Amino acid sequence: MTIFKHTINKQTQEEQYSTITSANRLLDVNLKELIAYKDLIRMYVKRNIVTFYKQTILGPLWFIIQPILTTVMFMFVFGNLAGISTDGIPGPLFYFAGIIIWNYFADCLNATSGTFTTNQNVFGKVYFPRLVVPVAVTISNLVKFFIQLAIFLIIYIVYAIQGIGIAPNVYIILFPLLVIMAAGLALGFGIIFSSMTTKYRDLTFLLQFGVQLWMYATPVIYPLSTMPADKQWIFQLNPMTSIIETFKYAAIGNGVFSWGWLGYSFAFMIVLLLVGIVIFNKVEKSFMDTV
Amino acid sequence: MATAIKIENVSKQYRLGVISTGTLSHDLNRWWATKIMRKEDPYLKIGETNDRSTKGKSEYVWALKDINMEIEQGDVVGIIGKNGAGKSTLLKLLSRVTKPTTGTIKYKGRIASLLEVGTGFHPEMTGRENIYMNGAIMGMTRAEITRKLDEIVDFSGCERYIDTPVKRYSSGMTVRLGFAIAAHLDPEILVVDEVLAVGDAEFQKKAIGKMQDVSKGEGRTVLFVSHNMAAVQNLCKRGYILNNGQIYYTGQIDDVVSKYMLNQDIRSQLKLSEIKERKGNGVLKFIDIKFIDEKGIERNTFEVGEKLTIKIYVKVLDSFHISKTSRIDIGINNIMDTRITWLSTYMYSDRVELKDDCVCFFISQLLLNDGMYNVNLYSTVDNDLADWIRNVARLQVVFHDFYKSGRELPEGQGCFITDFKMI
């Protein structure tokens, strides 16, 4: 009996050991650990928000000023000068709807793509799951997103009272899913980018430019419906297209909605996130040597 | 006791130089060899040992090479070595900041590292917010931190500043706060790297005390890297000397420290007259030093209580004589470079002529305790520094039944032997 007890004891003792090795298993992803660090995620979110407007006079107001200025600029450049149609939807409403989702996506992507390089100071000193940082960035940008969404709602209500004849349809219940998809895509692309730029920085030069270009490939400033019907699938290959189109369709009744393309975007996001986490996980173990 | 950390054949290779286009070809080469041809990494073979001062042929160096360690639970282990010996790399591997090139490390429990504490601090956030932030980075939960908040603030001694942004803190305060957080983290294994360098004496004492408590009372394991030998000796039980990325020596901490100190300033068997590292105008020059016993035989090891003559040979002008303003000193230091005693012609200030260009100090009873001592020579002529050489010779003293009782002297009981009797 005592012998038996002893072996059990020994076994449990063996199990308690954690190992650090040079080996690299492909799917050695520890999401449980990420959850264990949920308090750290919360602290990072708080820090990102608090430090955003430290030592500014207008503070969080900048969250609002920025998209309003962009909308005004878009209305002037694309609406008046270029004369791109908004399908009969009032300009502020049309542009704002596209901008808030796109801005959220672009902000997350830009911020997460520099995860390793901007945090090398902390990463070089202590270990914690590195994924905490990009996840926290994605969450803290939500605050900005919801503030902008509130502005959008105000504009929306103002126009609704004036009787333009806009009303949300039942697809608006997909809205939380759309936000999650935009977040997932930004996080996925962001962590892949940050993993690829630890050693060779070439791609960082491409990113800023690439994100801008990408916006023009996404129906933010133009409705997808103005494109020839047989060419629309090319635009739909862009996973952001169906997210923005679905939102516009649900909120202002303008846009192309298809379950198929939305499903495509969702699948795209899942695969991208998985690939991203695997790559990120591989890089995080030794990036300090090359960053 | 159970093993807390087991390090097996761990090596870490670094590439020198800048990362640029040339690196890509190495990467492609490595990728081709390992992934396509399924062979060994070609760059793992060509690493050189990590000697920072010599120019090497290879771009790759081994910051650590084949390290094997086994550390018992509750041990306080000191790791010492010169700059670039691999100490910090080892701690970085342990704290999982980067992974080893080869080998495995097994450990039990939570490892908290104190590599330059306070680096996770955000300057815009207050001390309190940073306690939560830093605690969370080290793996504490919010509830855990709240429970210990008062204790942490109290230990850091920064209560007055706790709601002020950390950017207004002095560097010492930042370290205090950082150490306070880590010390209250209750990790099973605490890794400490040179934190004490910034704090003041009071805080250093407090920090060492805390680390001792952590290891003794709570059975936790501490790994301590420092260049402060007194702190290492004070705190640790066992030690490792790293040299060029390899373990050079390991054992009880006293042996380790003395081995390290001896090795550090071993002067190659240069003749005294040829030593270049000396100060002074050279009016008087030390030529040689000899330790002579009562039979007139020269040796370097003496027993406690023996008669000893220190004979110093000098080169001077004929008119030189020892006086109040022209003197010769012998300073005797222990291996920690602390002055133990001082012998000087100044204490007998009468005019003395040199005989055969040498001066003799006679010690009727050598009462230094068991150990190794460094001898320094100093001389002024007409109040001007004439010659000053540090660590000119080494004197070994052994305790051998001084009290005629057959008993051995316990360790750590001071640097002097007192000639006393029981009455």
Side-chain angles (χ1 to χ4, degrees), chain A:
Chain A
M1 191 60 200
T2 41
I3 298 168
F4 178 68
K5 226 174 172 179
H6 194 77
T7 45
I8 289 221
N9 233 330
K10 218 173 170 183
Q11 250 179 10
T12 45
Q13 262 183 13
E14 272 299 306
E15 279 164 18
Q16 281 170 359
Y17 282 98
S18 326
T19 21
I20 304 170
T21 54
S22 56
N24 231 331
R25 264 159 284 142
L26 190 64
L27 289 167
D28 191 12
V29 182
N30 205 341
L31 286 181
K32 219 187 244 168
E33 204 183 15
L34 188 67
I35 292 161
Y37 275 83
K38 62 178 186 303
D39 282 326
L40 182 59
I41 298 182
R42 196 156 72 185
M43 286 310 295
Y44 258 108
V45 170
K46 191 179 160 198
R47 194 192 90 172
N48 289 345
I49 296 165
V50 169
T51 55
F52 181 80
Y53 54 84
K54 273 267 162 82
Q55 293 210 350
T56 63
I57 297 167
L58 293 180
L61 226 55
W62 280 111
F63 288 144
I64 304 169
I65 297 169
Q66 199 192 352
I68 289 180
L69 286 180
T70 322
T71 306
V72 170
M73 191 185 78
F74 282 178
M75 277 170 66
F76 180 69
V77 176
F78 300 111
N80 291 3
L81 287 185
I84 295 172
S85 130
T86 57
D87 256 1
I89 307 293
L93 214 51
F94 179 81
Y95 291 123
F96 221 101
I99 284 169
I100 54 170
I101 293 191
W102 179 261
N103 268 2
Y104 174 63
F105 172 74
D107 285 348
C108 288
L109 178 51
N110 279 327
T112 51
S113 66
T115 303
F116 283 122
T117 35
T118 52
N119 289 288
Q120 48 176 303
N121 237 332
V122 183
F123 286 2
K125 302 292 185 283
V126 263
Y127 172 82
F128 54 88
R130 304 325 192 190
L131 211 50
V132 161
V133 176
V135 167
V137 166
T138 318
I139 296 172
S140 48
N141 270 323
L142 274 181
V143 173
K144 187 175 159 189
F145 173 72
F146 281 116
I147 291 172
Q148 294 179 356
L149 187 70
I151 302 298
F152 175 72
L153 279 179
I154 292 168
I155 300 173
Y156 192 89
I157 291 166
V158 168
Y159 273 106
I161 290 169
Q162 283 177 355
I164 307 277
I166 42 163
N169 55 38
V170 66
Y171 291 105
I172 201 72
I173 56 164
L174 286 175
F175 180 68
L177 179 71
L178 298 180
V179 178
I180 291 169
M181 282 166 67
L185 283 171
L187 185 64
F189 277 117
I191 58 180
I192 292 175
F193 249 99
S194 71
S195 311
M196 293 199 302
T197 49
T198 55
K199 199 162 189 179
Y200 303 108
R201 303 277 167 82
D202 305 56
L203 285 172
T204 43
F205 298 106
L206 215 68
L207 185 74
Q208 288 279 331
F209 178 67
V211 171
Q212 265 173 32
L213 209 65
W214 193 349
M215 189 187 81
Y216 295 111
T218 313
V220 177
I221 50 156
Y222 55 85
L224 184 62
S225 53
T226 56
M227 295 296 143
D230 59 328
K231 297 277 174 6
Q232 279 183 10
W233 67 271
I234 300 174
F235 286 84
Q236 292 277 28
L237 283 178
N238 169 3
M240 279 307 288
T241 299
S242 64
I243 295 174
I244 288 183
E245 280 296 303
T246 305
F247 179 61
K248 282 182 178 170
Y249 178 73
I252 52 182
N254 153 273
V256 179
F257 174 76
S258 117
W259 281 109
W261 284 114
L262 196 65
Y264 158 79
S265 288
F266 189 79
F268 194 105
M269 175 203 77
I270 296 289
V271 172
L272 185 77
L273 259 187
L274 286 179
V275 171
I277 290 171
V278 167
I279 295 177
F280 190 86
N281 209 64
K282 188 176 151 72
V283 169
E284 73 167 18
K285 285 183 188 128
S286 61
F287 90 100
M288 270 320 293
D289 308 340
T290 53
V291 73

Side-chain angles (χ1 to χ4, degrees), chain B residues 266-272 274-275 300 394:
Chain B
I266 278 185
R267 211 177 273 291
S268 46
Q269 300 301 317
L270 269 180
K271 275 192 185 149
L272 214 53
E274 288 165 10
I275 290 175
N300 276 29
R394 191 157 282 138

Side-chain angles (χ1 to χ4, degrees), chain A residues 20 120-127 130 284-286 288-289 291, chain B residues 7 10 12 14 63-64 79 86-100 105 107 111 113-116 119 191-193 223 225 242:
Chain A
I20 304 170
Q120 48 176 303
N121 237 332
V122 183
F123 286 2
K125 302 292 185 283
V126 263
Y127 172 82
R130 304 325 192 190
E284 73 167 18
K285 285 183 188 128
S286 61
M288 270 320 293
D289 308 340
V291 73
Chain B
I7 300 176
V10 163
K12 177 75 188 170
Y14 279 113
L64 288 174
I79 297 171
K87 307 179 298 285
S88 297
T89 306
L90 182 65
L91 295 198
K92 275 192 172 157
L93 295 183
L94 276 169
S95 48
R96 291 208 283 169
V97 164
T98 182
K99 64 169 188 173
I105 300 171
Y107 64 93
I111 297 186
S113 64
L114 264 170
L115 312 176
E116 301 164 48
T119 35
V191 175
V192 186
D193 189 6
L223 262 85
V225 165
L242 288 187

Side-chain angles (χ1 to χ4, degrees), chain B residues 264-324:
Chain B
Q264 200 185 34
D265 43 32
I266 278 185
R267 211 177 273 291
S268 46
Q269 300 301 317
L270 269 180
K271 275 192 185 149
L272 214 53
S273 54
E274 288 165 10
I275 290 175
K276 291 278 188 308
E277 284 171 54
R278 61 207 299 165
K279 284 180 183 148
N281 58 20
V283 175
L284 177 150
K285 271 193 138 181
F286 295 112
I287 304 295
D288 203 359
I289 179 168
K290 280 178 179 163
F291 304 112
I292 297 164
D293 66 11
E294 52 190 324
K295 289 177 194 136
I297 299 165
E298 191 194 341
R299 54 185 157 109
N300 276 29
T301 306
F302 286 82
E303 278 178 27
V304 176
E306 265 192 298
K307 289 188 176 63
L308 160 66
T309 305
I310 303 176
K311 196 170 185 181
I312 296 163
Y313 295 80
V314 295
K315 194 171 96 186
V316 279
L317 301 171
D318 284 342
S319 63
F320 175 82
H321 58 85
I322 284 169
S323 66
K324 205 170 176 180

Side-chain angles (χ1 to χ4, degrees), chain B residues 270-401:
Chain B
L270 269 180
K271 275 192 185 149
L272 214 53
S273 54
E274 288 165 10
I275 290 175
K276 291 278 188 308
E277 284 171 54
R278 61 207 299 165
K279 284 180 183 148
N281 58 20
V283 175
L284 177 150
K285 271 193 138 181
F286 295 112
I287 304 295
D288 203 359
I289 179 168
K290 280 178 179 163
F291 304 112
I292 297 164
D293 66 11
E294 52 190 324
K295 289 177 194 136
I297 299 165
E298 191 194 341
R299 54 185 157 109
N300 276 29
T301 306
F302 286 82
E303 278 178 27
V304 176
E306 265 192 298
K307 289 188 176 63
L308 160 66
T309 305
I310 303 176
K311 196 170 185 181
I312 296 163
Y313 295 80
V314 295
K315 194 171 96 186
V316 279
L317 301 171
D318 284 342
S319 63
F320 175 82
H321 58 85
I322 284 169
S323 66
K324 205 170 176 180
T325 53
S326 302
R327 53 183 239 237
I328 290 171
D329 300 352
I330 303 171
I332 296 181
N333 293 1
N334 68 6
I335 53 162
M336 316 292 286
D337 227 23
T338 307
R339 177 59 47 87
I340 300 300
T341 188
W342 183 68
L343 298 76
S344 175
T345 59
Y346 178 75
M347 302 314 293
Y348 298 91
S349 62
D350 308 341
R351 182 182 169 116
V352 179
E353 301 294 337
L354 293 185
K355 287 173 222 138
D356 306 327
D357 279 348
C358 76
V359 55
C360 295
F361 294 80
F362 173 68
I363 300 164
S364 58
Q365 198 182 22
L366 181 64
L367 290 175
L368 292 175
N369 199 352
D370 190 289
M372 188 68 101
Y373 297 87
N374 285 320
V375 178
N376 304 284
L377 291 178
Y378 180 91
S379 161
T380 60
V381 175
D382 298 331
N383 275 337
D384 284 332
L385 178 62
D387 200 5
W388 180 20
I389 320 175
R390 309 182 62 180
N391 301 335
V392 289
R394 191 157 282 138
L395 179 66
Q396 171 94 55
V397 181
V398 291
F399 183 90
H400 185 71
D401 201 15

